[in-house]
Amino acid sequence: MGEAKRRKTTLGETYGQEKETRILPWLPITKKQAELFVSWTSRGAWIGIILMVVAWATIRFIGPAFGWWQLAS
């Protein structure tokens, strides 16, 4: 019996399916979960940067231009 056939009989239903690999053996986080975490946190960081720029522009330029408040100099 060849190696592939032996492996197929040993693994049964899970043969050919990719096993979720963990980052570290003792840490229950898979590589796919880590990639999703990085993409979500990167997206969140960009959203935060954009909101900060909008708030700064509003406080520095838009508010005083419409007479909502005055900046102390």
Side-chain angles (χ1 to χ4, degrees):
M1 182 179 287
E3 179 66 23
K5 286 184 180 180
R6 185 195 62 77
R7 192 177 308 123
K8 186 174 183 179
T9 58
T10 303
L11 294 176
E13 298 267 335
T14 60
Y15 179 73
Q17 296 176 354
E18 185 176 331
K19 181 181 174 189
E20 291 287 327
T21 56
R22 293 181 172 187
I23 295 174
L24 297 170
W26 51 269
L27 190 64
I29 298 175
T30 63
K31 289 184 179 183
K32 180 68 175 171
Q33 290 171 332
E35 290 172 5
L36 284 173
F37 176 77
V38 169
S39 73
W40 278 99
T41 54
S42 296
R43 186 175 295 138
W46 279 109
I47 290 170
I49 291 168
I50 291 168
L51 289 175
M52 186 178 62
V53 168
V54 168
W56 174 79
T58 301
I59 292 169
R60 180 66 179 95
F61 299 111
I62 298 171
F66 285 113
W68 295 340
W69 57 78
Q70 293 178 356
L71 293 177
S73 39

